[in-house]
Amino acid sequence: MNWGVLLFPGSNCAEDCFHVIDKVLGKPVTYLWHKDTDLGDVDAIIIPGGFSYGDHLRPGAIAHLSPAMTAVKDFADRGGLVIGICNGFQILTEARMLPGSLLQNKGIKFLCQDQTLKLDNTDTPFTSEYDPGDVVVFPIAHNEGNYYAKPKTIAEMEQNGQILFRYCNADGEVSDATNPNGSINNIAGIINRAGNVVGMMPHPERSSDAVLGLSDGKGVFVSMLKHLEAKHGSDQ
Amino acid sequence: MDRINKMSEKKSGMEEKLWIKAGLTDSEYELLTSHMQREPNTVELALYAQMWSEHCGYTHTRPLFKHFLTTGPRIVQGPGENAGIVDIDDDEVLTFKLESHNHPSAIAPFQGAATGVGGIVRDILAMGAYPIASLNSLHFGHPGDAGHTRYLISEVVHGIGEYGNCLGVPTVGGELRFADAYKGNPLVNAMCVGYMKKSQIKKAIATGVGNSLMIVGNLTGRDGMGGASFASKDLDEENEEDRGAIQVGDPFMEKLLIEACLEVFEEDYVVGVQDMGAAGILSSSVETASKAGNGVEIDVSLVPKREEAMRPEEVMISESQERMLLIVKKGMEDKVNKIFHKWDLHAVVIGHVTDDGLYRVLEDGKTVGEVPVWSLMDAPTYILEGQEPAHLQQTRSFKNEDVAVPDDLNITLLTLLGAPDICSKEWVYRQYDHRVQMNTVVKPGSDAAIIRIKDRDKAVGMTMDSNGRYCYLNPRRGAQSIVAESARNQVVSGAEPIAITDGLNFGNPEHPEVYYQLEQSIIGLSEACRALDTPVIGGNASLYNQTPEFGAIFPTPIIGMVGLVKSLDHITTMEFKNAGDFILMIGETRDELGASEYLDQIHGLVTGDVPELDLELESKTQKFILEIIRAGLVNSAHDIGDGGMAVALAESCIAGELGAEVSFDLDLRSDSLLFGESQTRFMLSASFESAEKIIDLASEQGLEAATIGRINTGNQLIINNLDNILIDVNIADCSEAFKTGFDKMMKTDA
Amino acid sequence: MLKAIVTVMLKKGIFDPQGRAVQNGLESIGFEGIGSVRVGKQIELTLETKDRAEADSSVHEMCDKMLSNPVVESYSFEIVEA
Amino acid sequence: MLKAIVTVMLKKGIFDPQGRAVQNGLESIGFEGIGSVRVGKQIELTLETKDRAEADSSVHEMCDKMLSNPVVESYSFEIVEA
Ligand SMILES: Nc1ncnc2c1ncn2[C@@H]1O[C@H](COP(=O)(O)OP(=O)(O)O)[C@@H](O)[C@H]1O
Ligand SMILES: [Mg+2]
């Protein structure tokens, strides 16, 4: 099971994702380079957080046009698992691999805090380790995390179970008061229609190493791993 | 030399004295002409003016540095390089330093603060290290009465956040303090800590005649023209024209620079590295050449520029950001360039190391300036005569009886919890990514930030501290107290203090009273560093912090301290953990109200003397605290600082969301007991058995320690003395006051 | 040489937090009678071509591909002599 | 109702990292012949007044006080019917 972490100029959570796959999961992982068109033999791709191209113009505006992203699209079209975290989510929406867009936080400030999230759809390769309604803590750290899509798109996504995580409080309440950035319907993470591409603003990797006091996020990577292992089992 | 503009040709009236305009005195001009044995041309004059400024030449502070302790068993590199280095065992080292960006931040707060972060990160990078955390110490006027101050705060915090966040270096701590003395001249000091293996250490040295000087990073423009000499003047209207000197930060470029430089450093291509800070290409190359005893020549026409028709001296002193100087082994230039190219950057040869000891500036191959390297480094120093500030006579005569004990001490406590210096700074640090790199074990909001070292059972404590009011009221003891307080923050977190970096923020040293403050503060810092075994491994001086309208700032030495947590098990935080645990207080409370936050906030008085400080007792007590923490006896630990015992207790309750009741038997004024700032005190919690052990151990060592009460699940904080209830407040109210204090302050309208 | 002046704004109907913040800020320092504020970007590009039609089509393409995000933004531009 | 369209750009000679990044980005996806790129802000304000002179002087004041930082930025604006 090979994992790839895609590196852009300005990515700054790539090492963190690498660390979690390598040290916490103990699985093989390599860096992928934004200029490459051939991503090699990987089974899952993480597009990490950071400020690709300095977030100039819009987060993800320049990165999504890089050669590697064409390859990532092909990979996803073939059913490969792709997860974009924070800036990775922004890149995936810019690339139209996920619907909607991430606008500036309603408070117009960068927001770094440990955030409670409520699990919505847990019947996906990324969330199978959780139960619906689970409340977990993942850190957030972003300036443009305010998820927006047209009302019609939102309605379809809601209906299709494409919402994976919502911002909530410690009791699991989802309301305007528990919405840190203004996202529509408190959306924190979504999945594409095909069920193999995820984007989320919160950082599951930062919640995967118990020394740091948080470990809820590990479930995202373990879910992916189990899915891949099951798939590989059936492939063989 | 073709381009000679003999000064003497124009040397008639006062306005013709170009050296005066450049910031040099008549005697300095005389000295440099004697060094050169002729008169300088415009290029050469610019070289001296920059290198001999306070900012580059430390003309007023250098003679005072002799007081500092700069060596010790863990000190690998003391002052003199881009940053000092300490040993943290296992062949691993840390490098750290702080730097001020006060004047730029006063004028363009967002950019000034952002480029301040960028600058200090490059210092760390130049040591060969990976930047693992940054901190900042900020001082402003009181925001309640000025929209402009609120604007400055917002912009400075935004600038620091945007730069650090983009770099992916977590901003993990710092401090934010307020006094009207900073109204016209805010202070913005940033600190960065880097990590590396001992074998990866780099030096700022230009060895090897024939080796190449390569410039990497951003293009050179006219930004920050004369920033070094700008930082060495008072901020006043006359400097208005200097205000074009604003650099714009490009954290994206800096991030690439970090990646590319560290990749190059892995190979054996580079003999020396220096970041380009104040006075840009000039100071970086002079310093590296001087260290090697070599000369250098630089051709300004080779420097990649983004503006046209730049004069040679403009290229030499430009402070365009995100540039570094590499001294590259002859023949390796292409290899270096190749790595930079991978990151879409260039690395360009602009000159060479020579053997003639001369600093030679060329333009299109023709010499346009040539002076001895040593003479540029040999800035004249000034030892002045200090004079005790007049206000000290009056402030020292303050007696506690001059103020009345407030009727409602609950309200006093709530007011203090919401006071600018004490209230939660979450408004600030939630704008900083403090978790990136996944090493932040203790995030902002506790006493020290704790950053783990991956794959090892150890971590690093980081703090930044100052207290302008203390230093204003007693520069020497005030400075001692800062070091002591910083070290207390380390030990309560489970870290053994290792070393400090200091930022000397003062007014114009040419005023005898300011010089006195500077000298006394340095002496105080030095004394405390010796007593607590925390050598000074680097620092920064920012003088001339004053404006005609508001006068000089409080004397504000700021220290950044790093400590070593020897096992992750030792990490301790300040919040109360368990109902039923016993609360202990270590240290003696005296009738000391002078210089306190309480006098300032409640009585509107900045007066009195700074509390007594026995450095020997301090050292002994700190070792004891660390010993009991390492022994696993302590569940929470907090130092008693601003706002005194009651505030420390309330903070531990708020953070732990638990109640507490404590009782004393002390014959003291209530306000001294609750809010006095007697030094060398700690607030701990522990289980019954551990509490007993702690008391025994303390008495064995002759230290004052008492169990004062217990933690409970209730919602009240109750403090009794001699059977009187002094405080009985709701924790939720405390929490509300503490957490909303900052927001309220930022919303107050003038 | 030609110069393209491109304006990119959030589409109507999408809440603009920055615009709101600017409006609040202006009101807090005493400006009255501000109906609404929107904040967008202005991007100025100098182009080496002298052919307006060519410039026009290439700037359109830049806007569609990179300078704006059609999901949330609209753009307009004018081309002038540099 | 009037509308003020304010443009705030970094002053000439002040480095614009964003403009440079955009230029590199455009070049990397194949656009050629771009001389330079500068990125600034466009701020649109609707004003309740109908008096152009009043609007003009109040927008000037807004720009000086809040919308631009005169140390690094310059501004210009036009006032149109909303
Ligand atoms: N400017 C700042 N940047 C980041 N963190 C800050 C800043 N100011 C304060 N903090 C954090 O807030 C907490 C409280 O600060 P302070 O009251 O100065 O602590 P102490 O008195 O223990 O030194 C600390 O964790 C500190 O790191
Ligand atoms: Mg403390």
Side-chain angles (χ1 to χ4, degrees), chain B residues 136 138 173-176 425 428-429 432 444-447 465 485 489:
Chain B
N136 55 95
L138 312 176
E175 56 164 5
L176 182 47
K425 304 301 182 300
V428 175
Y429 59 69
Y432 300 153
S446 199
D447 285 316
D465 287 282
E485 137 118 57
N489 283 325

Side-chain angles (χ1 to χ4, degrees), chain B residues 316-334:
Chain B
M316 295 305 294
I317 69 173
S318 157
E319 296 185 1
S320 289
Q321 297 292 294
E322 293 92 18
R323 299 177 303 160
M324 307 269 289
L325 180 71
L326 305 184
I327 318 298
V328 174
K329 286 187 184 164
K330 207 168 157 177
M332 298 297 168
E333 296 85 352
D334 287 345

Side-chain angles (χ1 to χ4, degrees), chain D residues 1 3 18 20 34 36 42 44-45 47 56 62 66 69 80:
Chain D
M1 292 254 291
K3 182 164 163 183
Q18 174 147 245
R20 227 254 318 271
I34 303 174
S36 74
Q42 168 143 326
E44 300 183 0
L45 307 104
L47 302 170
D56 194 86
M62 291 178 193
M66 181 172 285
N69 176 351
V80 298

Side-chain angles (χ1 to χ4, degrees), chain B residues 418-634:
Chain B
D421 282 356
I422 295 178
C423 68
S424 166
K425 304 301 182 300
E426 192 178 340
W427 185 93
V428 175
Y429 59 69
R430 78 179 166 221
Q431 296 183 54
Y432 300 153
D433 189 341
H434 45 257
R435 281 202 177 271
V436 65
Q437 295 190 16
M438 282 181 62
N439 297 317
T440 312
V441 185
V442 177
K443 51 183 186 156
S446 199
D447 285 316
I450 304 289
I451 303 298
R452 63 132 173 216
I453 303 296
K454 279 202 184 86
D455 305 324
R456 301 252 186 233
D457 183 26
K458 68 181 176 195
V460 182
M462 302 176 189
T463 45
M464 262 184 118
D465 287 282
S466 68
N467 193 326
R469 191 179 54 237
Y470 273 29
C471 295
Y472 173 74
L473 294 171
N474 186 335
R476 182 163 163 186
R477 205 191 296 153
Q480 293 176 346
S481 308
I482 299 162
V483 181
E485 137 118 57
S486 220
R488 277 175 222 143
N489 283 325
Q490 295 279 344
V491 297
V492 293
S493 307
E496 178 177 318
I498 303 181
I500 74 159
T501 172
D502 68 292
L504 302 169
N505 298 265
F506 289 84
N508 183 340
E510 292 151 37
H511 296 302
E513 294 194 346
V514 171
Y515 192 79
Y516 174 92
Q517 295 173 329
L518 175 64
E519 185 170 28
Q520 292 296 308
S521 297
I522 288 179
I523 291 171
L525 283 184
S526 306
E527 288 164 339
C529 286
R530 281 172 208 279
L532 301 176
D533 215 2
T534 51
V536 178
I537 63 159
N540 176 257
S542 170
L543 308 184
Y544 304 93
N545 290 291
Q546 60 186 71
T547 55
E549 195 182 349
F550 299 103
I553 57 162
F554 278 165
T556 314
I558 296 173
I559 70 154
M561 185 179 281
V562 159
L564 178 61
V565 181
K566 288 189 165 166
S567 162
L568 297 177
D569 291 337
H570 301 162
I571 296 172
T572 305
T573 51
M574 67 178 216
E575 77 273 9
F576 285 151
K577 309 281 187 313
N578 314 309
D581 272 0
F582 285 74
I583 302 170
L584 297 101
M585 194 158 127
I586 314 293
E588 190 193 343
T589 306
R590 287 183 292 264
D591 218 341
E592 293 175 305
L593 288 179
S596 65
E597 191 69 42
Y598 160 78
L599 276 192
D600 188 355
Q601 292 299 324
I602 306 298
H603 297 283
L605 295 172
V606 173
T607 191
D609 201 355
V610 170
E612 294 289 332
L613 174 60
D614 175 345
L615 286 170
E616 214 172 297
L617 177 69
E618 182 74 48
S619 164
K620 195 170 157 188
T621 311
Q622 291 194 12
K623 289 197 173 107
F624 169 73
I625 298 291
L626 202 52
E627 177 191 321
I628 57 177
I629 284 179
R630 285 178 175 162
L633 299 175
V634 176

Side-chain angles (χ1 to χ4, degrees), chain A residues 9 11-12 16 19-20 23 33 35 51 53-54 109-112 114 139 141 205-206 209 211-212 214, chain B residues 165-166 168 252 255-256 342-344 430-438 440-441 443 452 454-455:
Chain A
S11 299
N12 64 30
D16 295 359
H19 168 80
V20 169
K23 292 280 161 54
W33 184 240
K35 286 178 186 162
F51 290 68
Y53 295 95
K109 288 202 166 63
F110 189 93
L111 196 54
C112 176
D114 295 349
E205 80 280 13
R206 295 188 186 183
D209 191 339
V211 176
L212 305 179
L214 300 170
Chain B
N165 296 347
C166 184
F252 173 52
K255 170 77 174 156
L256 300 184
K342 171 183 158 193
W343 291 97
D344 302 324
R430 78 179 166 221
Q431 296 183 54
Y432 300 153
D433 189 341
H434 45 257
R435 281 202 177 271
V436 65
Q437 295 190 16
M438 282 181 62
T440 312
V441 185
K443 51 183 186 156
R452 63 132 173 216
K454 279 202 184 86
D455 305 324

